[in-house]
């Protein structure tokens, strides 16, 4: 990047290069500057993915410097999150980037979910949600693993901390607020022969934690509130979809073109 810049000698904010020379240099730089191709982006994202590898730092003999290792992981997570924020709509256009997400990044996210660092754990959950929103059509198997190996496993574990469980339910609540999640889970997982009943498992999970466990505590905690909120969002999504189908059924035979377009848009939103 810096090799493409044409340095100017300045003193007191005044350039000693004439305006015509500066214009010519600007044209030369503009003509010689070319955008980086997809290979550069793949190499950059591959390097960022190595920062997420918790075993990479141990292999380098840095296992004693836990603070430095956590900083590298946090940096990698925030950089990948910045990638999704700036160009998530373009990732699915390049199979090499999708493959990198399906393999290295998803694998490291599952490994990092076992960390005791609450901040790293929250960043992992945030990144999983961003991947669901932007590239879920390419991550069917990976999202199933995320829900079963991260959300359900940690939420049901007795050794998980209260902060971890709270983050789990906050993440699931954010998922449940997505309009296409409920129908998408049931269609793509529960209705598939080779997939788990993910929608059913999540509903049972919410019901279990919405009820006060009298053996452990008689108080109503924030986890119970989050579980009830998730159930409420699920029931609301089902009710809205039922009402939508009912309205379509009760429409007259001679439907207008606008009604047809609305129906098509709702179908596309679910798939």
């Amino acid at each position: 990047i810096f090799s493409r810049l044409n340095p100017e000698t300045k003193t007191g904010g005044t350039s000693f290069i004439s305006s015509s020379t500066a214009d010519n240099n600007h044209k030369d730089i503009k003509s010689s500057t070319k955008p980086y191709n997809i290979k550069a982006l793949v190499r950059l994202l591959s390097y960022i993915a190595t920062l997420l590898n918790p075993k990479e730092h141990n292999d380098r003999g840095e296992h004693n410097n836990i603070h430095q290792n956590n900083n590298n992981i946090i940096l990698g997570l925030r950089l990948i999150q910045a990638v999704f924020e700036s160009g998530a709509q373009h990732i699915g256009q390049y199979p090499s980037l999708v493959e990198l997400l399906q393999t290295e990044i998803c694998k490291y996210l599952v490994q990092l979910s076992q960390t005791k660092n609450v901040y790293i754990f929250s960043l992992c959950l945030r990144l999983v949600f961003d991947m669901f929103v932007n590239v879920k059509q390419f991550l069917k198997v990976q999202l199933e693993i995320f829900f079963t190996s991260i959300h359900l496993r940690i939420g049901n574990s007795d050794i998980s901390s209260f902060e971890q469980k709270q983050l789990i339910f906050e993440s699931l609540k954010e998922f449940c607020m997505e309009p296409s999640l409920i129908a998408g889970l049931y269609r793509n997982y529960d209705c598939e022969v080779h997939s788990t009943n993910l929608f059913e498992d999540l509903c049972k999970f919410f019901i279990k934690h919405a009820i006060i466990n009298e053996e452990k505590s008689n108080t109503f905690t924030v986890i119970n509130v989050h579980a009830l909120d998730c159930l409420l969002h699920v029931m609301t999504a089902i009710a809205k979809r039922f009402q939508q189908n009912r309205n379509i059924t009760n429409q007259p035979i001679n439907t207008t073109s606008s009604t047809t377009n609305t129906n098509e848009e709702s179908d596309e939103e679910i798939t």
Side-chain angles (χ1 to χ4, degrees), residues 90-135:
H90 304 295
I91 294 178
Q93 301 175 5
Y94 303 99
S96 54
L97 293 179
V98 174
E99 182 181 0
L100 187 59
L101 289 176
Q102 292 173 337
T103 55
E104 298 298 319
I105 295 179
C106 288
K107 178 182 68 176
Y108 295 147
L109 286 177
V110 175
Q111 294 178 2
L112 289 176
S113 66
Q114 304 176 9
T115 182
K116 299 299 182 182
N117 189 303
V118 178
Y119 183 64
I120 293 178
F121 184 64
S122 64
L123 289 177
C124 290
L125 295 178
R126 181 72 244 178
L127 189 55
V128 169
F129 179 77
D130 291 338
M131 294 171 67
F132 169 81
V133 172
N134 298 289
V135 290

Side-chain angles (χ1 to χ4, degrees), residues 41-58:
L41 183 57
V42 171
R43 292 184 60 183
L44 178 62
L45 196 59
S46 299
Y47 172 75
I48 296 176
T50 59
L51 298 176
L52 306 183
N53 186 2
K55 298 181 181 180
E56 178 74 14
H57 310 294
N58 294 337

